[in-house]
Amino acid sequence: MAIQGFDYKGFAQNLAQQALELIPKDFNDNQKNYVANTLLNFATVAGQALYDDESLGFNLDQAIMVTQIIAEWSFHKSVDLIRSGIPQQYWDPIMQKIAYTIFEIAKNAYHQNLPQDQCLQLIEHHVKKTYLDCIAELKDKNLIDEGLMEKAASQSNIDAMMQQQVEAEQAAQNQTVQQSAQGVPAVQSNSQIQSGSVPLGADAKVLKLATLAMLFQRMKQEKVQTILNKFNPDDAQSVIKFMGMPDLNSKVDAGAALRCLQEIKTNLPGVNQNITPSKVIAKIQNVAQYLDKSQMEHTLRLERNKVKQFVFSALEGEYYEMPPKVANIIATHLEDSV
C-alpha cells in the first residue's frame, strides 16, 4: 500500500519554491535554474521511490524527512558545484551520486532505527565524502587540475549559511542586551501575553518555559509528553498553556529566546558524554594499523588544515582541540576509508 497522505509531487514543488528565496543573489539565471531544477528533480524522484516501493516500509513522517534531506543537500551541493568552477558537464553525475548516497544511507539508518540526530550526522558525513571523492576522481582523470580540485573541495554552502545564522543570532542577542541596558523589556507586557492564569513577563524561569513551549510545538506529542512527565507539575502545566498559544512566537523576543535556548543547551547533560578524547584518539590510531603515513596523507589531501592537524596529533597520542562531535565524525570518516 502506498504511503497514505504523501503528496510527493506537491511536497517537492513546495521545497523548490522555498529554495528560490535562498539561491545566492549573484547567480545568473542559468545557475539559479540549475539549483531549483536539481532540487525539484531529486526530491520528486526520491519521493516517488518512497511512495511506490512498499518493501521499504516507510511511514509518512519518514518519507517526508528523507525527501526533505535530499532536497536540502541537493540545494547546498549544487550551489557548491557552481561556486567551484568545475565545468557544468560534470555537475549532474556528481549530484546523482550524492542523491543516491543520501537515499541509501537514510534507508538503512531508518531500518536500523537509528536516532534522527545520528542519522543526520551519518548522511552529512557520507555526502561530504561522496562530494570529495567525485572531485578527486575528476582530478585523477585529468579532467580538472590541482587548483580547481582544491577550490571545489573548499566550498561549503551549508557552513556559510550556518555562519550567517550564527551572526544573525549574535546580532539579535546584542540588540537584546542593548535594549535591556536601556530599560526595554526583552518580552512584551503581561497584558499582551497570557494564557489562563499564567502570564509571560520578564521572569527568567517563565521565559525559559515559554521558550521550551515553542520547541515542543514542533515536536511529536508523545515525545513532548515523555519530557513533561519529568517536569515539576506546575512547570509542566505552564508549558502546556504556552503551547496552546498559536501566536506565542510573535510575542516572545527572538533574542531573549535564543539566549534561553543557549542556556538550556549548556545545562543539558552532554549528548556526546561517551565520546572522550581518549576514545577518539584510539579510533584514529587503530586506523593507522592499516594505513601508513603517505596513505593517510592521501586520504586527507582534500581536508582542511585543522582536520589534518587533529588527525596527526591523535597519531602522536595528543588531542588537538576539537568539539567531541566533530572529532568523532572525523575518526569515523577515517575508519570508513580503510
Side-chain angles (χ1 to χ4, degrees):
M1 179 179 178
I3 303 174
Q4 186 174 2
F6 184 37
D7 176 15
Y8 64 87
K9 290 183 180 179
F11 184 53
Q13 290 172 350
N14 183 48
L15 291 172
Q17 189 64 37
Q18 293 178 42
L20 290 175
E21 301 298 322
L22 301 174
I23 296 176
K25 303 301 181 185
D26 59 319
F27 279 15
N28 60 39
D29 289 342
N30 174 59
Q31 293 167 334
K32 291 177 180 178
N33 289 334
Y34 182 81
V35 174
N37 290 335
T38 298
L39 185 157
L40 176 61
N41 291 339
F42 286 140
T44 302
V45 169
Q48 184 175 8
L50 293 167
Y51 184 82
D52 291 341
D53 193 343
E54 298 179 10
S55 67
L56 294 176
F58 276 56
N59 61 34
L60 178 60
D61 289 340
Q62 292 170 334
I64 289 175
M65 176 62 69
V66 173
T67 304
Q68 184 166 344
I69 291 171
I70 288 177
E72 290 177 355
W73 277 112
S74 296
F75 174 85
H76 291 303
K77 300 318 289 182
S78 59
V79 170
D80 288 346
L81 282 173
I82 292 171
R83 293 235 186 263
S84 73
I86 289 177
Q88 186 167 352
Q89 64 261 36
Y90 305 126
W91 295 354
D92 281 350
I94 293 175
M95 291 305 305
Q96 287 166 5
K97 289 182 180 179
I98 289 173
Y100 176 78
T101 296
I102 295 172
F103 190 86
E104 289 300 308
I105 295 297
K107 182 175 66 176
N108 293 332
Y110 278 112
H111 284 167
Q112 295 174 27
N113 295 317
L114 291 182
Q116 183 172 311
D117 185 52
Q118 290 185 27
C119 179
L120 294 177
Q121 289 181 40
L122 195 61
I123 289 171
E124 179 176 2
H125 163 72
H126 282 282
V127 165
K128 292 181 176 180
K129 183 177 184 299
T130 301
Y131 175 74
L132 293 176
D133 287 347
C134 289
I135 294 169
E137 184 180 356
L138 292 177
K139 167 63 174 59
D140 292 341
K141 292 180 178 179
N142 294 319
L143 297 175
I144 61 175
D145 60 23
E146 185 83 22
L148 192 53
M149 179 185 73
E150 292 181 357
K151 178 184 177 182
S154 69
Q155 301 301 318
S156 182
N157 186 64
I158 189 170
D159 289 344
M161 290 186 68
M162 287 177 65
Q163 182 60 36
Q164 291 173 1
Q165 182 177 359
V166 169
E167 292 174 355
E169 292 175 355
Q170 185 61 51
Q173 292 177 10
N174 292 340
Q175 183 179 13
T176 301
V177 171
Q178 293 173 1
Q179 289 176 338
S180 298
Q182 297 169 2
V184 180
V187 193
Q188 303 295 326
S189 66
N190 293 348
S191 61
Q192 291 177 296
I193 308 176
Q194 56 183 350
S195 178
S197 60
V198 184
L200 177 58
D203 179 82
K205 179 180 179 180
V206 178
L207 181 55
K208 288 180 182 178
L209 294 177
T211 302
L212 286 172
M214 289 192 290
L215 287 177
F216 291 166
Q217 285 176 336
R218 294 167 170 77
M219 293 172 59
K220 292 183 178 180
Q221 186 59 42
E222 59 268 23
K223 291 185 179 180
V224 172
Q225 191 57 54
T226 299
I227 297 173
L228 288 178
N229 287 340
K230 301 177 182 179
F231 276 44
N232 172 287
D234 291 338
D235 290 344
Q237 187 61 33
S238 297
V239 171
I240 291 171
K241 288 184 178 181
F242 286 133
M243 288 176 65
M245 298 173 62
D247 55 351
L248 181 61
N249 286 4
S250 64
K251 295 187 176 181
V252 179
D253 179 82
L258 286 170
R259 285 190 291 124
C260 278
L261 285 174
Q262 184 58 47
E263 185 175 345
I264 291 169
K265 179 180 178 181
T266 302
N267 293 326
L268 284 174
V271 175
N272 298 305
Q273 56 187 354
N274 293 324
I275 303 175
T276 63
S278 60
K279 288 183 179 180
V280 174
I281 289 174
K283 289 175 70 172
I284 293 176
Q285 290 181 335
N286 183 57
V287 174
Q289 298 179 30
Y290 306 96
L291 299 177
D292 59 28
K293 186 175 180 181
S294 62
Q295 291 173 318
M296 188 78 76
E297 289 175 344
H298 180 75
T299 300
L300 298 171
R301 68 193 185 284
L302 297 178
E303 297 291 351
R304 298 173 183 176
N305 289 333
K306 286 187 177 181
V307 173
K308 295 177 183 177
Q309 188 171 354
F310 170 77
V311 172
F312 288 110
S313 294
L315 292 175
E316 299 296 327
E318 299 179 1
Y319 188 83
Y320 179 78
E321 190 60 34
M322 184 80 69
K325 178 178 176 181
V326 177
N328 193 51
I329 290 175
I330 294 172
T332 301
H333 168 64
L334 283 177
E335 287 181 330
D336 291 343
S337 67
V338 175

